[in-house]
Amino acid sequence: MNEDAVREIVREVLARRAGMPPTGTPAPAPVRLSTHMSHGRYTLPESDGPCVIEPSVMCNHCGYCQSHGH
């Protein structure tokens, strides 16, 4: 192994650590993020009265009653 080969290996390792693609390779496609159905909310009327889930306390608009709860 000569000095130029070692320099190239070092450059590739540093590029990978920095999140850059190695020389001569295309950049990876961006990751698509999608929301899971458990994060969706139902449209229920807002309440200023007792909580739908726990009626002994006042509604604090947490959204638990509008979702699957997880």
Side-chain angles (χ1 to χ4, degrees), residues 21 25-33:
T25 59
V31 176
R32 292 191 60 197
L33 299 176

Side-chain angles (χ1 to χ4, degrees), residues 25-43:
T25 59
V31 176
R32 292 191 60 197
L33 299 176
S34 62
T35 58
H36 191 267
M37 63 187 290
S38 66
H39 297 291
R41 285 182 136 187
Y42 301 109
T43 53

Side-chain angles (χ1 to χ4, degrees), residues 7-69:
R7 287 179 189 265
E8 184 61 32
I9 291 171
V10 170
R11 283 190 193 103
E12 287 182 15
V13 169
L14 292 175
R16 273 187 275 154
R17 293 276 177 132
M20 299 170 57
T23 56
T25 59
V31 176
R32 292 191 60 197
L33 299 176
S34 62
T35 58
H36 191 267
M37 63 187 290
S38 66
H39 297 291
R41 285 182 136 187
Y42 301 109
T43 53
L44 294 175
E46 292 290 327
S47 171
D48 287 330
C51 175
V52 174
I53 306 297
E54 192 175 347
S56 62
V57 297
M58 295 300 291
C59 176
N60 65 0
H61 307 286
C62 68
Y64 191 80
C65 65
Q66 297 173 340
S67 67
H68 286 297

